[in-house]
Amino acid sequence: MVQPVSSLESGSTTGPRPSHDETHRKLEGRHIQLIAIGGSIGTSLFIQIGTVLTQGGPGSLFLAFTFW
């Protein structure tokens, strides 16, 4: 007969948990704001690149990124 590896597999949830199982949620309001700002900047750059790509083609876009 195969024995369970840990007490959690056998259905028992009592006892101390190992420290690596704990999650740490340390995101503050400013972190969420920076994530939102980064997402909006990325979206606007993506849209602008699409506009430039249709007007000038991929070569002009490659040259612009090379010299930037």
Side-chain angles (χ1 to χ4, degrees), residues 36-52:
I37 290 170
S40 63
I41 290 173
T43 302
S44 65
L45 285 176
F46 182 73
I47 290 172
Q48 287 178 351
I49 286 172
T51 305
V52 171

Side-chain angles (χ1 to χ4, degrees), residues 1-64:
M1 183 170 135
V2 177
Q3 296 294 327
V5 177
S6 69
S7 63
L8 291 177
E9 290 180 354
S10 65
S12 173
T13 58
T14 59
R17 290 185 173 176
S19 62
H20 64 274
D21 277 348
E22 297 176 8
T23 58
H24 301 282
R25 296 181 181 163
K26 296 182 180 180
L27 282 178
E28 297 175 5
R30 63 181 180 173
H31 299 129
I32 303 298
Q33 289 176 348
L34 285 175
I35 291 171
I37 290 170
S40 63
I41 290 173
T43 302
S44 65
L45 285 176
F46 182 73
I47 290 172
Q48 287 178 351
I49 286 172
T51 305
V52 171
L53 186 60
T54 59
Q55 292 175 354
S60 63
L61 192 61
F62 177 71
L63 287 174

